[in-house]
Structure formats: C-alpha cells, structure tokens
Amino acid sequence: METESKSKFIRELPVETQKILNNIAYPVNRNDIVGQAKKSGAIPDILRGLGVLPDRQYNSAEDAAEELHIIYMGIPA
C-alpha cells in the first residue's frame, strides 16, 4: 500500500517534472535532479521547484515527488 500512496504524489506534479523525475537513474541527490532538469531544457519554474528539494539522497521518482508534496502541501495524511 505504501507504494500505491507514494505513486499518487508523482501524478500530482506538472508533466514536465514527472518526465524529469522518471528519467533519472536513482539514487541521486538534489543537484543531480536539478542538473538533469537543466539538461532536459526545463523551464525556470520547474528548476526553481526542484531546487527547493532538501539536499539528500533520493531513491526513486516517488521519493522525490513525496518530498515536493511535503514542501508545497504539507505532511501527507
């Protein structure tokens, strides 16, 4: 069930952010995610959004998406 609840976070993100997170080889850190976003030509709003991620290791797209959800929406229920 945890995977199912985490996967909903990725679906809530802008499509461009979903594509970036889904096309990265994990594990990565924030700088890797932002670097991949820059390489893919992400718009400044997407780069800013990913830049607020805490500097830690992310093990999956869902892991990063959950962190973004916490930042922008608060702790998931």
Side-chain angles (χ1 to χ4, degrees), residues 35-72:
Q36 182 63 36
K38 285 180 183 177
K39 280 186 197 176
S40 71
I43 63 172
D45 286 347
I46 298 295
L47 294 173
R48 275 191 294 278
L50 294 171
V52 301
L53 285 167
D55 191 18
R56 68 173 185 86
Q57 180 172 299
Y58 296 92
N59 296 311
S60 67
E62 291 82 11
D63 189 17
E66 181 179 22
E67 191 69 52
L68 288 168
H69 180 84
I70 291 168
I71 291 166
Y72 289 108

Side-chain angles (χ1 to χ4, degrees), residues 1-9 62 66:
M1 292 293 180
E2 183 178 329
T3 302
E4 182 179 311
S5 65
K6 279 191 170 193
S7 67
K8 77 174 185 169
F9 297 126
E62 291 82 11
E66 181 179 22

